[in-house]
């Protein structure tokens, strides 16, 4: 009981410090955001095009490759799916590489491919290779990362080729260890395929790098992470099982990240099924696993902990709703239909189509086209709000309903 009290006090101290920091910064920007004009393509670009008005530089680009998915997860979309864009409206590999080259030139050193389900894209392996080579060519540091977020259903067939092509990390979505629950959550079968994919991913990275962790001598974060969205009275009784599975099944070679359920269009988000960071920590410690706080990385969206007796396994919590991390956000997103989305929770009205600019350009001058794209990207970044798409809270995000379904954003 004293240990649990100490953990709770540590969490409260973290939250108080974060709230004081957010309050200080939000006071500074409140007036500016309320009077910010509509997009101005003549914005001065003396500074980096990827630095916003709150001083945040964005070096992490997430690109959605597909709106389609072979699952129908409850927290992501309705059972019938969502209306999809025609294939002709989606970015081609050539268009994606034009954008990657421009973003990398302006400081991006991490690219993650998402969806929908990115593995449904047939030309994925050569695209990963091209992105990896562009990062190596344009950046002198060793921090260049190419990741993918997948449901894992078809990952085993592709993971070795992807790693050979330059993939440096994989996040696998898995919300339950029960076959029946898996089918209830995803509205499909496939738990055995996902579990096999986790093991195959570990093997692929071990074969390529000698070990699966990014630090020296097998320390640091794992290249294989499991993302689990937690919902009350549905899978919140499995948190301890996930932590044990990381060690008992995968030898401590994976990291587990528990994610607070977030509101998006058509995912029926409700406060009654929401499980907070504090509640997750309590459930794990009450389940007999003591937790120790460890250091988070720069711009990390995850609060990292460890169970002392569980080898190198890290347990993370993505606390987007209860303790957001917007003040250090370094992410930009490009949707599969080619729009730049500066905030995961931003409204559709703030999206700007980069695809249309590339396809409608009347100039054959490559430099002029790059300048046009740069001005639009810079203007969009300048309009990025300080936190949560300007909505203020999870309840307000759900009430506004002015965003896309998650599968049309790219996670």
């Amino acid at each position: 009981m004293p240990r649990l009290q100490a953990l709770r006090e540590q969490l409260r101290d973290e939250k108080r410090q974060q709230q004081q920091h957010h309050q200080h910064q939000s006071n500074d920007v409140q007036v500016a955001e309320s009077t910010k004009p509509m997009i101005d393509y003549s914005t001065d670009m003396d500074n980096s095009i990827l630095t916003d008005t709150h001083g945040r530089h964005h070096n992490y680009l997430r690109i959605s490759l597909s709106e389609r998915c072979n699952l129908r997860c409850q927290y992501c979309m309705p059972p019938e799916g969502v209306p999809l864009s025609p294939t002709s409206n989606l970015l081609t590999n050539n268009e994606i590489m034009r954008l990657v080259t421009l973003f990398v030139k302006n400081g991006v050193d991490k690219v993650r491919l998402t969806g929908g389900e990115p593995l449904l894209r047939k030309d994925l392996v050569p695209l990963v290779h091209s992105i990896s080579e562009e990062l190596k060519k344009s950046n002198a540091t060793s921090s260049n990362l190419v990741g993918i977020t997948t449901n894992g259903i078809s990952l085993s067939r592709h993971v070795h080729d992807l790693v050979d092509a330059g993939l440096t990390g994989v996040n696998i979505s898995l919300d339950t260890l029960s076959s029946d629950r898996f089918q209830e959550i995803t509205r499909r079968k496939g738990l055995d395929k996902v579990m096999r994919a986790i093991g195959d991913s570990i093997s692929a990275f071990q074969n390529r790098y000698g070990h699966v962790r990014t630090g020296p001598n097998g320390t640091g974060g794992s290249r294989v992470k499991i993302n689990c969205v937690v919902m009350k009275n549905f899978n919140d009784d499995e948190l301890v099982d996930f932590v044990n599975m990381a060690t008992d099944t995968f030898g401590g070679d994976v990291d587990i990240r528990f994610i607070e359920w977030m509101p998006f269009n058509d995912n029926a988000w409700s406060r009654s099924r929401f499980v907070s960071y504090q509640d997750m920590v309590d459930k794990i410690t009450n389940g007999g696993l003591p937790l120790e706080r460890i250091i988070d990385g720069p711009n990390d969206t995850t609060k990292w902990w460890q169970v002392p007796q569980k080898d190198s396994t890290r347990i993370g919590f993505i606390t987007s709703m209860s303790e957001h991390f917007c003040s250090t956000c370094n992410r930009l997103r490009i949707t599969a239909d080619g729009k730049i989305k500066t905030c995961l929770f931003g409204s559709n009205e703030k999206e700007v189509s980069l695809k249309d600019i590339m396809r409608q350009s009347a100039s054959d001058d490559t430099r002029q086209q790059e300048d046009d794209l740069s001005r639009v990207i810079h203007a969009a970044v300048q309009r990025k709000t300080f936190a949560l798409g300007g909505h203020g809270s999870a309840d307000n995000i759900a009430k506004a309903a002015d965003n896309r379904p998650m599968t049309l954003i790219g996670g």
Side-chain angles (χ1 to χ4, degrees), residues 188-199:
R188 300 289 189 274
K189 295 180 179 180
L191 177 60
D192 56 334
K193 295 179 181 178
V194 180
M195 295 296 287
R196 184 166 62 251
I198 297 169

Side-chain angles (χ1 to χ4, degrees), residues 346-359:
S347 69
N348 293 335
E349 293 179 355
K350 295 181 179 178
E351 299 173 1
V352 183
S353 178
L354 304 181
K355 177 200 68 184
D356 289 350
I357 294 169
M358 289 187 286
R359 293 186 183 181

